[in-house]
PDB file of all heavy atoms in Angstrom:
ATOM      1  N   LEU A 149     -10.238  27.172  23.287  1.00  0.00           N
ATOM      2  CA  LEU A 149      -9.030  26.736  22.587  1.00  0.00           C
ATOM      3  C   LEU A 149      -9.372  26.040  21.274  1.00  0.00           C
ATOM      4  O   LEU A 149      -8.766  26.313  20.232  1.00  0.00           O
ATOM      5  CB  LEU A 149      -8.209  25.795  23.480  1.00  0.00           C
ATOM      6  CG  LEU A 149      -7.681  26.385  24.792  1.00  0.00           C
ATOM      7  CD1 LEU A 149      -6.813  25.355  25.521  1.00  0.00           C
ATOM      8  CD2 LEU A 149      -6.883  27.664  24.549  1.00  0.00           C
ATOM      9  N   VAL A 150     -10.353  25.127  21.309  1.00  0.00           N
ATOM     10  CA  VAL A 150     -10.661  24.378  20.090  1.00  0.00           C
ATOM     11  C   VAL A 150     -11.320  25.281  19.049  1.00  0.00           C
ATOM     12  O   VAL A 150     -11.109  25.114  17.840  1.00  0.00           O
ATOM     13  CB  VAL A 150     -11.540  23.154  20.412  1.00  0.00           C
ATOM     14  CG1 VAL A 150     -12.990  23.532  20.678  1.00  0.00           C
ATOM     15  CG2 VAL A 150     -11.460  22.120  19.301  1.00  0.00           C
ATOM     16  N   SER A 151     -12.096  26.283  19.494  1.00  0.00           N
ATOM     17  CA  SER A 151     -12.736  27.181  18.532  1.00  0.00           C
ATOM     18  C   SER A 151     -11.750  28.179  17.940  1.00  0.00           C
ATOM     19  O   SER A 151     -12.039  28.793  16.916  1.00  0.00           O
ATOM     20  CB  SER A 151     -13.903  27.920  19.200  1.00  0.00           C
ATOM     21  OG  SER A 151     -13.450  28.746  20.249  1.00  0.00           O
ATOM     22  N   HIS A 152     -10.588  28.353  18.576  1.00  0.00           N
ATOM     23  CA  HIS A 152      -9.559  29.249  18.052  1.00  0.00           C
ATOM     24  C   HIS A 152      -8.435  28.477  17.359  1.00  0.00           C
ATOM     25  O   HIS A 152      -7.425  29.072  16.978  1.00  0.00           O
ATOM     26  CB  HIS A 152      -8.968  30.104  19.168  1.00  0.00           C
ATOM     27  CG  HIS A 152      -9.860  31.227  19.597  1.00  0.00           C
ATOM     28  ND1 HIS A 152     -11.002  31.023  20.333  1.00  0.00           N
ATOM     29  CD2 HIS A 152      -9.783  32.571  19.383  1.00  0.00           C
ATOM     30  CE1 HIS A 152     -11.590  32.189  20.566  1.00  0.00           C
ATOM     31  NE2 HIS A 152     -10.881  33.140  19.991  1.00  0.00           N
ATOM     32  N   ALA A 153      -8.613  27.176  17.176  1.00  0.00           N
ATOM     33  CA  ALA A 153      -7.564  26.369  16.545  1.00  0.00           C
ATOM     34  C   ALA A 153      -7.620  26.436  15.031  1.00  0.00           C
ATOM     35  O   ALA A 153      -6.692  26.002  14.353  1.00  0.00           O
ATOM     36  CB  ALA A 153      -7.676  24.910  16.992  1.00  0.00           C
ATOM     37  N   THR A 154      -8.708  26.966  14.486  1.00  0.00           N
ATOM     38  CA  THR A 154      -8.836  27.032  13.033  1.00  0.00           C
ATOM     39  C   THR A 154      -9.647  28.262  12.660  1.00  0.00           C
ATOM     40  O   THR A 154     -10.140  28.987  13.526  1.00  0.00           O
ATOM     41  CB  THR A 154      -9.506  25.759  12.483  1.00  0.00           C
ATOM     42  OG1 THR A 154      -9.463  25.774  11.052  1.00  0.00           O
ATOM     43  CG2 THR A 154     -10.952  25.651  12.934  1.00  0.00           C
ATOM     44  N   ASP A 155      -9.750  28.509  11.361  1.00  0.00           N
ATOM     45  CA  ASP A 155     -10.634  29.560  10.858  1.00  0.00           C
ATOM     46  C   ASP A 155     -11.623  28.902   9.904  1.00  0.00           C
ATOM     47  O   ASP A 155     -11.914  27.716  10.049  1.00  0.00           O
ATOM     48  CB  ASP A 155      -9.828  30.693  10.212  1.00  0.00           C
ATOM     49  CG  ASP A 155      -8.918  30.207   9.086  1.00  0.00           C
ATOM     50  OD1 ASP A 155      -9.041  29.023   8.683  1.00  0.00           O
ATOM     51  OD2 ASP A 155      -8.093  30.996   8.611  1.00  0.00           O
ATOM     52  N   ALA A 156     -12.123  29.626   8.922  1.00  0.00           N
ATOM     53  CA  ALA A 156     -13.136  29.052   8.033  1.00  0.00           C
ATOM     54  C   ALA A 156     -12.574  27.968   7.114  1.00  0.00           C
ATOM     55  O   ALA A 156     -13.341  27.303   6.420  1.00  0.00           O
ATOM     56  CB  ALA A 156     -13.783  30.157   7.199  1.00  0.00           C
ATOM     57  N   THR A 157     -11.272  27.784   7.114  1.00  0.00           N
ATOM     58  CA  THR A 157     -10.694  26.707   6.305  1.00  0.00           C
ATOM     59  C   THR A 157     -10.882  25.337   6.951  1.00  0.00           C
ATOM     60  O   THR A 157     -10.780  24.316   6.283  1.00  0.00           O
ATOM     61  CB  THR A 157      -9.179  26.906   6.125  1.00  0.00           C
ATOM     62  OG1 THR A 157      -8.545  26.876   7.414  1.00  0.00           O
ATOM     63  CG2 THR A 157      -8.869  28.210   5.426  1.00  0.00           C
ATOM     64  N   ASP A 158     -11.108  25.299   8.291  1.00  0.00           N
ATOM     65  CA  ASP A 158     -11.093  24.070   9.076  1.00  0.00           C
ATOM     66  C   ASP A 158      -9.714  23.410   9.028  1.00  0.00           C
ATOM     67  O   ASP A 158      -9.575  22.216   9.263  1.00  0.00           O
ATOM     68  CB  ASP A 158     -12.170  23.082   8.611  1.00  0.00           C
ATOM     69  CG  ASP A 158     -12.502  22.061   9.702  1.00  0.00           C
ATOM     70  OD1 ASP A 158     -12.461  22.429  10.881  1.00  0.00           O
ATOM     71  OD2 ASP A 158     -12.764  20.890   9.368  1.00  0.00           O
TER      72      ASP A 158
END
Side-chain angles (χ1 to χ4, degrees):
L149 298 184
V150 76
S151 63
H152 284 73
T154 187
D155 57 9
T157 61
D158 201 34

